[in-house]
């Protein structure tokens, strides 16, 4: 599943990105569940490495500690029939479950949620045992149904068959089996049927063992209107028209063994384009609503290329006979990796000539992320959700790795360094963070670990490990892991075993502190340049400052990867495995500068001494460091400023050196830092608001002017991105020439839809600037463009940009009206967070308007998104993340005190901690920042 993180170090969003915020031998499944052998780390001394390892709880203890089904019975095959009534919302269903008894029992327990069982018959072998309907017991809290077998004891080795007739419901949320609105062939609004079973929603459609380790084969029959195209994981076996009522029953081929959350179906009036992956001969189709198939040619081409590339990388052919991608208007996440039937939000597949470069890049990544799951997640599945990072961290790494292979000019790893990696480091710098391998007791905990720790810290660790082992050695181990566990489930320990077999390294010992313990280190550097030595100390990094002794007990294995002025770009590899160490500088006492964490591959921060930092600033100004290393220094400085390791004025003094680097990733960090600083200071000091914007204007105004509004033929993609971020940053800072031009361009485009007077990469920025700075009419104009996007030929991402721009008005009533509009049928529930995301950073007052509206309309939001929806957690985090005073932290905490917070009981404490971190930053550095601006008043235009 594709995810966009909803928290960041400063929670400042790049304005032109907000619209898209929307990778030896197998054992049986019963053996997998009963013989868990993972180990737990205990650290015996503050300076000990490697950590001592103690044996984990027994399987029986572990089973009882988790809210899992009993392991008495293992399903083998499901034969499912579904007849959904789109108008009434009723699903008539039956399922025949073949299963194996693994422990003697007289009770059968399955998952079922909002399913009414009308009859349940039991066979042992071919012998009918009895009707069990009278013994049914529902447990709504556990989402299970159990039946008692009074006729005889089921014994180990019995093969049983359960025949169940039931009724289920078409869901009103984007979970289970639900409706997604679209336009049919007549142009009328209709509903397609879609499933979203991850993580625990197959039980809403049929009784089943709805845990990932219970893999089984599936046969599916589906009765739908004859006008519909019905899709599932496997190809269609046959179709039978039913007499009289314009319905048909579609039979699908039997699937290989897979988890319940990967079963999927789609039914609606659909068109498609198709191609063939040359390496494996598999036909790839991309399905859309009628008349939209001309928008997905790029996505089809990308899917075919990615499928071929992944087959070669994994040395295992794509495991299914077909691959379908479907553009779904309403989908909870950006993508969902159902085996052979991968679903995407339309904005991820609709890539046309009008689509911005950034959205095109995002599309390639998301397609690669979801298709990598066909092996890493589907062919081999994590045994339980505490190893979700095995699926999502690896798919994120593969998504970026493959994107970089296909389009090296995009420098996708540079972007990872400024966004995805930072999201992971930011979230993991909180006391309220969690380890990558986090305990998941039951269903209520699962959705909340689809977060930046799982995805992006997981990805960063895989990158760190693959760089240490070497990519070829790493992938050899990955292939062995897939071969050993294909069509089965596995744990993190199984991956370490495979990598140790192929590399000979103690991978488990190196990595367990990273996956099982919360947090990551900051390496403090005390230099002795005249002696050519560095004194290093590692400790846990926290945004809120120095950790306590109890919080700072882990000693990590840290790959130092050093470069200096004397290494000629060659990386010198050393490791830090103790609390303190002294290492020689590469090049000895002759070095002019030295940098740790070359290429930013390690998951840690570096706090340099004043001398070492001054020398690095000179190297940056002279262009002696690569872009990704400059990014690493700058990102670390931002984090160290926020947490109090260094004063804000130190970073402000160095902005000039960083600004000499003409790469968009560096300017993006500068812009986000200044916006985050503004949002932190804005509620305290009016003159500081003007000064921070003045500083930003002095940087981005000239940059926007030099780059201009027109892409040139010889521009690289990254120059185009720099231009696309410089213009909105300059406008945000109040640059009059940019604001005036953007408003005029918007008006020209509004009045003449056939002649767009600016390039597509500027669409979101022009819309925002025009609404924020133009006449009030621009608010209604951009709404008109959202509602009638075809008239202005807006691509899907630009239609979303028009929606987000409605939130950028400075008028409080317009803000309120936009939020009310977002609650109507004009806006899909999944897009509410786009409106909120644009609004919260649009103006320093807008977050307070938003909070007031949110408090008054909280129950409406809950009803619209669902009390247990991950979307609700994203919205809550976005609403509160950008406050920066202790008073607001207390107000938010008090307001939620009597609310049901199960959908965001991880998000809420993280957001509250961010608020208090910002409040502490201001309290600590307000005088320092005031002095800096006073001293620079004559040097920087626009300061007060």
């Amino acid at each position: 599943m594709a995810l966009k993180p909803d928290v960041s170090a400063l929670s400042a969003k790049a304005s032109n990105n907000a619209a898209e915020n929307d990778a030896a031998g197998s054992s049986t499944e019963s053996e997998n569940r009963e013989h868990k052998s993972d180990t737990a780390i205990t650290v015996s001394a503050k300076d000990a490495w490697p950590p001592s390892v103690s044996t984990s709880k027994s399987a029986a203890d572990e089973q009882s500690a988790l809210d899992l089904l009993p392991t008495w019975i293992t399903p083998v095959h499901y034969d499912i029939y579904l007849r959904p009534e789109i108008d009434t919302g009723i699903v008539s269903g039956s399922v025949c479950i073949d299963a194996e008894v693994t422990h003697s029992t007289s009770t059968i327990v399955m998952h079922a949620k909002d399913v009414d069982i009308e009859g349940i018959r039991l066979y042992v072998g071919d012998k009918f045992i009895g009707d069990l309907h009278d013994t049914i017991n529902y447990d709504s809290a556990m989402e299970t149904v159990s039946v008692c077998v009074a006729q005889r004891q089921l014994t180990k080795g019995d093969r049983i068959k359960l025949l169940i007739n039931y009724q289920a419901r078409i869901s009103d949320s984007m979970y289970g089996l639900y409706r997604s609105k679209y336009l049919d062939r007549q142009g009328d609004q209709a509903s397609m049927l879609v499933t979203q079973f991850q993580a625990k929603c197959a039980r809403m459609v049929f009784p089943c063992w709805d845990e990932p380790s219970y893999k089984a084969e599936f046969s599916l029959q589906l009765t739908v209107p004859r006008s519909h195209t019905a899709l599932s994981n496997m190809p269609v076996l046959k179709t039978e028209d039913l007499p009289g009522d314009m319905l048909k029953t579609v039979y699908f081929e039997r699937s290989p063994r897979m988890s319940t959350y990967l079963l999927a179906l789609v039914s609606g009036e659909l068109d498609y384009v198709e191609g063939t992956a040359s390496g494996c001969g598999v036909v790839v189709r991309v399905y859309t609503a009628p008349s939209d198939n001309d928008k997905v040619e790029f996505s089809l081409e990308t899917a075919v290329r990615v499928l071929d590339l992944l087959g070669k990388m994994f040395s295992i052919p794509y495991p299914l006979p077909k691959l379908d991608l479907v553009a779904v208007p309403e989908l909870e996440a950006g993508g969902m990796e159902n085996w052979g039937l991968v679903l995407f939000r339309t904005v991820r597949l609709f890539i046309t000539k009008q689509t911005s470069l950034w959205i095109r890049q995002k599309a390639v990544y998301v397609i690669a992320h979801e298709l990598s799951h066909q092996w890493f997640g589907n062919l081999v599945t994590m045994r339980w959700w505490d190893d979700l990072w095995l699926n999502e961290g690896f798919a994120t790494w593969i998504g970026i790795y493959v994107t970089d292979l296909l389009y090296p000019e995009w420098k996708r790893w540079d972007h990872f360094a400024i966004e995805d990696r930072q999201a992971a480091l930011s979230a993991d710098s909180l006391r309220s963070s969690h380890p990558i391998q986090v305990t998941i007791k039951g269903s209520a905990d699962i959705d909340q670990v689809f977060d930046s720790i799982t995805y992006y810290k997981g990805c960063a660790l895989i990158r760190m490990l693959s760089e240490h082992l070497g990519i070829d050695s790493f992938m050899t181990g990955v292939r062995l892991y897939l071969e050993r566990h294909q069509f089965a489930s596995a744990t993190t320990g199984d991956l370490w075993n495979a990598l140790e077999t192929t590399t000979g390294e103690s991978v488990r010992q190196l990595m367990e502190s990273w996956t099982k313990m919360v947090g990551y280190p900051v390496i403090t550097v005390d230099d002795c340049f005249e002696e050519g030595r560095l004194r290093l100390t590692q400790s846990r990094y926290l945004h809120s400052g120095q950790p306590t002794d109890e919080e700072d007990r882990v000693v990590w294995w840290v790959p130092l990867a050093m470069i200096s002025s004397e290494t000629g770009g060659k990386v010198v590899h050393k490791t830090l495995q103790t609390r303190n160490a002294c290492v020689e500088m590469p090049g000895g006492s002759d070095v002019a500068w030295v940098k740790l964490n070359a290429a930013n591959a390690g998951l840690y921060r570096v706090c340099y001494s004043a001398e070492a930092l001054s020398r690095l600033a000179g190297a940056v100004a002279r262009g002696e460091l690569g872009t990704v290393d400059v990014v690493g220094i700058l990102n670390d400085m931002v984090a160290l400023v926020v947490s109090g390791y260094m004063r804000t004025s130190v970073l402000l003094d160095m902005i000039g050196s960083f600004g000499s680097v003409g790469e968009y990733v560096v300017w993006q960090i500068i812009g986000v830092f200044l916006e985050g600083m503004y949002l932190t200071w804005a509620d305290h000091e009016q003159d500081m608001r003007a000064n921070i914007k003045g500083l930003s204007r002095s940087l981005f105004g000239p940059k926007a002017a030099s780059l201009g509004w027109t892409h040139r033929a010889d521009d690289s993609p990254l120059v185009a991105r720099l231009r696309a971020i410089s213009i909105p940053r300059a406008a945000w800072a109040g640059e009059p020439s940019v604001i005036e031009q953007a408003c005029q361009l918007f008006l020209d485009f509004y009045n003449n839809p056939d002649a767009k007077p600016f390039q597509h990469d500027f669409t979101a920025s022009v819309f925002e600037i025009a609404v924020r700075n133009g006449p009030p009419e621009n608010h209604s104009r951009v709404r008109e463009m959202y509602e009638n996007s075809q008239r202005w030929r807006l691509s899907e991402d630009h239609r979303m940009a028009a929606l987000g721009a409605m939130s950028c008005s400075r008028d409080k009533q317009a803000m309120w009206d936009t939020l009310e509009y977002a609650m109507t049928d004009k806006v899909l529930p999944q897009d509410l967070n786009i409106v909120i995301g644009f609004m919260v950073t649009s103006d320093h007052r807008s977050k307070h308007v938003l909070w007031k509206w949110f408090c008054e309309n909280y129950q409406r939001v809950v009803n619209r998104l669902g009390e247990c929806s991950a979307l609700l957690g994203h919205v809550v985090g976005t609403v509160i993340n950008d406050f920066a005073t202790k008073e607001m932290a207390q107000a938010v905490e008090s307001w939620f005190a009597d609310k049901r917070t199960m959908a965001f009981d991880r998000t809420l404490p993280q957001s509250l901690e961010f608020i208090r971190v910002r409040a502490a930053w201001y309290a600590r550095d307000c005088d320092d920042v005031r002095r800096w601006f006073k001293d620079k008043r004559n040097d920087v235009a626009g300061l007060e």
Side-chain angles (χ1 to χ4, degrees):
M1 182 183 291
L3 166 120
K4 191 70 175 177
D6 59 307
V7 291
S8 62
L10 302 174
S11 193
K13 303 162 185 67
S15 57
N16 60 320
N17 288 354
E20 54 265 19
N21 283 341
D22 53 288
S26 61
S27 56
T28 66
E29 292 308 297
S30 58
E31 289 171 338
N32 284 344
R33 284 192 296 277
E34 294 172 26
H35 298 101
K36 297 187 177 182
S37 58
D38 284 353
T39 51
I41 289 181
T42 59
V43 180
S44 57
K46 187 175 174 66
D47 59 353
W49 197 97
S52 60
V53 178
S54 64
T55 305
S56 65
K57 295 179 180 179
S58 70
D61 289 340
E62 192 172 68
Q63 179 73 25
S64 63
L66 304 179
D67 294 333
L68 303 181
L69 292 176
T71 58
W72 306 326
I73 296 174
T74 299
V76 176
H77 175 249
Y78 296 87
D79 194 344
I80 305 165
Y81 171 74
L82 299 174
R83 180 168 176 164
E85 300 286 347
I86 296 178
D87 295 334
T88 66
I90 299 296
V91 181
S92 299
S94 66
V95 59
C96 176
I97 306 173
D98 292 311
E100 178 182 354
V101 178
T102 56
H103 291 279
S104 296
T105 181
S106 59
T107 304
I108 301 172
V109 185
M110 299 172 286
H111 284 113
K113 180 181 180 181
D114 298 328
V115 171
D116 299 321
I117 294 178
E118 299 169 338
I120 178 167
R121 295 163 63 85
L122 172 66
Y123 293 77
V124 176
D126 295 328
K127 182 179 180 181
F128 174 65
I129 300 301
D131 191 325
L132 308 182
H133 184 265
D134 291 341
T135 71
I136 290 175
N137 180 48
Y138 294 99
D139 186 333
S140 59
M142 297 296 294
E143 299 179 352
T144 60
V145 59
S146 61
V147 292
C148 182
V149 184
Q151 294 86 344
R152 57 156 284 186
Q153 180 87 349
L154 300 178
T155 59
K156 182 177 181 179
D158 282 346
R159 293 299 294 257
I160 67 171
K161 188 185 299 288
L162 291 167
L163 276 65
I164 305 173
N165 295 317
Y166 64 93
Q167 279 198 348
R169 295 165 184 80
I170 297 176
S171 172
D172 293 326
S173 66
M174 285 179 282
Y175 297 97
L177 175 63
Y178 67 94
R179 308 175 188 89
S180 176
K181 294 187 287 292
Y182 74 110
L183 297 181
D184 63 17
R185 297 194 187 282
Q186 288 70 46
D188 298 325
Q189 189 173 93
S191 293
M192 69 172 68
L193 293 172
V194 183
T195 54
Q196 171 63 41
F197 287 168
Q198 193 182 51
K200 50 184 171 38
C201 297
R203 66 192 69 176
M204 298 171 65
V205 179
F206 62 101
C208 58
W209 280 257
D210 200 12
E211 293 168 6
S213 63
Y214 285 104
K215 287 195 168 186
E217 297 176 353
F218 294 84
S219 300
L220 177 66
Q221 300 96 50
L222 179 64
T223 295
V224 293
R226 292 183 191 174
S227 62
H228 279 204
T229 296
L231 304 171
S232 187
N233 308 78
M234 298 297 288
V236 172
L237 182 64
K238 65 177 180 177
T239 300
E240 294 178 351
D241 290 340
L242 301 185
D245 49 7
M246 297 302 292
L247 296 175
K248 64 182 178 182
T249 298
V250 182
Y251 297 77
F252 296 94
E253 293 180 14
R254 185 167 174 150
S255 78
R257 297 177 72 238
M258 64 184 188
S259 302
T260 49
Y261 79 86
L262 296 171
L263 183 66
L265 66 88
V266 172
S267 179
E269 294 187 11
L270 304 173
D271 289 339
Y272 67 86
V273 295
E274 73 172 37
T276 301
S278 58
C280 57
V282 171
V283 173
V284 180
R285 290 179 174 177
V286 182
Y287 285 86
T288 71
S291 75
D292 282 335
N293 58 348
D294 61 329
K295 301 174 183 177
V296 294
E297 290 288 351
F298 176 82
S299 295
L300 173 65
E301 175 191 342
T302 299
V304 169
R305 295 176 68 192
V306 168
L307 194 66
D308 274 335
L309 185 55
L310 292 175
K312 294 174 183 176
M313 286 179 61
F314 295 135
S315 297
I316 296 176
Y318 172 69
L320 298 186
K322 61 92 176 175
L323 174 64
D324 295 333
L325 288 67
V326 186
V328 178
E330 298 179 74
L331 191 66
E332 190 270 338
M336 177 60 212
E337 67 266 20
N338 310 303
W339 214 359
L341 184 64
V342 189
L343 309 184
F344 298 85
R345 286 188 185 178
T346 52
V347 71
R348 294 292 176 240
L349 292 186
F350 286 5
I351 307 299
T352 67
K353 293 180 179 179
Q354 288 74 39
T355 301
S356 65
L357 174 63
W358 167 241
I359 296 297
R360 189 178 299 270
Q361 294 173 347
K362 188 70 175 177
V364 173
Y365 159 74
V366 173
I367 291 170
H369 176 114
E370 302 303 341
L371 296 196
S372 73
H373 275 310
Q374 306 303 298
W375 287 264
F376 223 100
N378 299 2
L379 181 64
V380 180
T381 309
M382 80 266 139
R383 188 173 300 165
W384 178 239
W385 299 103
D386 52 4
D387 274 324
L388 177 64
W389 87 280
L390 275 179
N391 281 21
E392 300 300 351
F394 190 86
T396 302
W397 181 81
I398 281 287
I400 298 170
Y401 183 79
V402 167
T403 301
D404 193 56
L405 288 178
L406 294 177
Y407 297 96
E409 68 274 17
W410 290 353
K411 297 185 179 180
R412 187 57 179 81
W413 284 114
D414 285 5
H415 181 79
F416 174 80
I418 68 167
E419 184 169 298
D420 306 329
R421 180 178 181 272
Q422 286 308 109
L425 289 173
S426 179
D428 207 29
S429 64
L430 300 176
R431 287 184 163 90
S432 51
S433 183
H434 64 81
I436 281 182
Q437 289 180 269
V438 60
T439 299
I440 304 294
K441 287 197 64 177
S443 298
D445 296 336
I446 296 172
D447 285 339
Q448 293 188 74
V449 295
F450 285 82
D451 63 4
S452 55
I453 298 293
T454 298
Y455 283 71
Y456 302 129
K457 184 179 181 182
C459 172
L461 288 184
I462 290 170
R463 184 176 184 231
M464 182 170 73
L465 181 60
S466 64
E467 290 289 324
H468 173 73
L469 298 175
I471 188 64
D472 291 339
S473 295
F474 175 74
M475 287 306 301
T476 300
V478 166
R479 294 183 195 107
L480 179 61
Y481 167 83
L482 292 173
E483 290 167 5
R484 283 178 173 177
H485 304 286
Q486 57 186 316
F487 301 109
S489 58
T491 67
T492 297
D494 293 321
L495 178 59
W496 299 159
N497 290 341
L499 289 169
E500 288 182 345
T501 298
T502 57
T503 66
E505 295 215 29
S506 301
V507 175
R508 183 190 302 269
Q509 190 179 71
L510 301 180
M511 296 303 295
E512 280 198 329
S513 60
W514 288 101
T515 61
K516 292 192 172 184
M517 308 302 287
V518 68
Y520 60 90
V522 54
I523 309 302
T524 301
V525 178
D526 290 323
D527 61 82
C528 189
F529 275 91
E530 63 275 11
E531 297 178 11
R533 292 185 296 109
L534 298 174
R535 290 186 295 274
L536 308 178
T537 302
Q538 65 161 295
S539 59
R540 182 182 172 188
Y541 173 81
L542 288 172
H543 260 334
S544 51
Q546 295 292 337
T548 65
D549 287 346
E550 183 65 25
E551 292 169 328
D552 195 21
R553 299 180 66 226
V554 179
V555 178
W556 283 273
W557 166 80
V558 182
L560 295 176
M562 298 188 292
I563 55 174
S564 76
S565 57
E566 303 304 307
T567 61
K570 183 179 179 181
V571 179
V572 176
H573 292 284
K574 295 180 181 294
T575 59
L576 178 64
Q577 301 183 14
T578 56
R579 179 73 59 184
N580 304 287
C582 191
V583 300
E584 293 185 4
M585 296 182 187
S589 58
D590 294 331
V591 303
W593 54 265
V594 63
K595 183 189 181 295
L596 275 61
N597 202 10
N600 237 20
L603 194 69
Y604 57 92
R605 298 198 185 280
V606 183
C607 181
Y608 294 97
S609 66
E611 172 70 12
L613 194 59
S614 175
R615 290 169 176 253
L616 283 171
V620 171
R622 294 189 298 271
E624 295 174 5
L625 287 167
T627 301
V628 71
D629 285 309
V630 175
V631 164
I633 296 169
L634 180 53
N635 269 332
D636 285 350
M637 288 188 71
V638 170
L640 295 169
V641 161
V642 172
S643 56
Y645 281 80
M646 67 174 60
R647 290 294 187 186
T648 305
S649 58
V650 176
L651 177 52
L652 294 174
D653 278 335
M654 285 188 64
I655 278 183
S657 294
F658 289 116
S660 66
V661 180
E663 297 287 343
Y664 110 84
V665 286
V666 175
W667 282 84
Q668 178 80 320
I669 300 169
I670 293 171
V672 169
F673 168 71
L674 291 174
E675 184 180 352
M677 186 178 174
Y678 175 86
L679 291 170
T680 301
W681 260 253
D683 289 337
H684 299 280
E685 302 181 56
Q686 182 175 349
D687 60 330
M688 282 299 104
R689 293 200 297 267
N691 280 333
I692 294 169
K693 283 200 170 185
L695 175 60
S696 186
R697 188 164 60 252
S698 73
L699 295 167
F700 285 96
K703 181 61 69 175
S706 66
L707 291 169
W709 286 78
T710 304
H711 292 328
R712 293 180 283 271
D714 59 346
D715 282 346
S716 70
L718 298 184
V719 170
R721 288 288 296 141
L722 178 58
R723 182 179 290 110
I725 67 168
S726 296
I727 285 173
R729 288 290 176 195
W732 173 83
E735 180 60 44
S737 60
V738 174
I739 292 171
E740 181 180 351
Q741 186 163 1
C743 289
Q744 186 59 54
L745 289 170
F746 174 80
L747 187 61
D748 292 345
F749 182 43
Y750 176 79
N751 289 328
N752 189 0
D754 295 327
K756 192 174 186 179
F758 50 87
Q759 290 170 309
H760 302 306
D761 283 354
F762 302 128
T763 303
S765 300
V766 167
F767 288 178
E768 284 184 65
I769 296 167
V771 173
R772 183 180 296 118
N773 301 281
E777 294 79 17
N778 284 355
H779 184 268
S780 57
R781 287 167 177 159
V782 80
R783 171 177 167 174
E784 183 183 354
M785 296 167 85
Y786 167 73
E787 292 180 351
N788 301 282
S789 58
Q790 291 182 335
R791 179 182 172 192
W792 280 273
R793 297 181 178 83
L794 297 183
S795 60
E796 184 66 12
D797 59 309
H798 293 154
R799 191 175 75 89
M800 291 296 101
L803 174 64
M806 291 172 59
S807 303
C808 296
S809 173
R810 299 177 191 269
D811 180 75
K812 292 183 179 180
Q813 187 59 51
M815 295 180 201
W816 198 279
D817 291 345
T818 298
L819 291 165
E820 287 297 317
Y821 179 79
M823 296 294 287
T824 70
D825 290 341
K826 296 284 188 180
V827 178
L828 297 176
Q830 69 194 34
D831 296 332
L832 174 61
N833 211 33
I834 291 176
V835 173
I836 290 173
F838 269 83
M839 182 173 292
V840 77
T841 55
S842 175
D843 181 84
H844 72 277
R845 298 164 298 181
S846 58
K847 60 190 174 187
H848 296 284
V849 175
L850 174 61
W851 173 244
K852 185 174 187 296
W853 177 88
F854 179 79
C855 292
E856 292 184 15
N857 295 276
Y858 177 72
Q859 194 56 51
R860 291 174 62 203
V861 174
V862 171
N863 294 343
R864 184 161 171 77
L865 300 181
E867 188 175 51
C868 296
S869 165
L871 290 172
L872 179 61
H874 295 326
V875 165
V876 168
T878 306
V879 168
I880 65 179
N881 256 359
D882 287 296
F883 290 118
T885 65
K886 292 186 293 184
E887 294 75 15
M888 277 308 304
Q890 183 59 49
V892 170
E893 191 168 34
S894 298
W895 193 85
F896 278 108
D898 61 349
K899 306 297 186 297
R900 290 168 57 87
T901 61
M902 74 266 294
F904 48 90
D905 57 10
R906 291 187 191 271
T907 300
L908 181 59
Q910 289 176 352
S911 296
L912 289 169
E913 192 171 344
F914 271 127
I915 296 171
R916 292 185 170 108
V917 165
R918 290 188 198 90
W921 177 24
Y922 172 78
R924 184 176 56 247
D925 276 9
C926 58
D927 292 337
D928 175 64
V929 169
R930 196 177 296 115
R931 284 193 298 270
W932 189 89
F933 277 108
K934 181 179 179 180
D935 293 343
K936 299 296 181 181
R937 184 168 295 139
N938 296 327
D939 300 330
V940 180
L943 300 188
E944 296 185 354

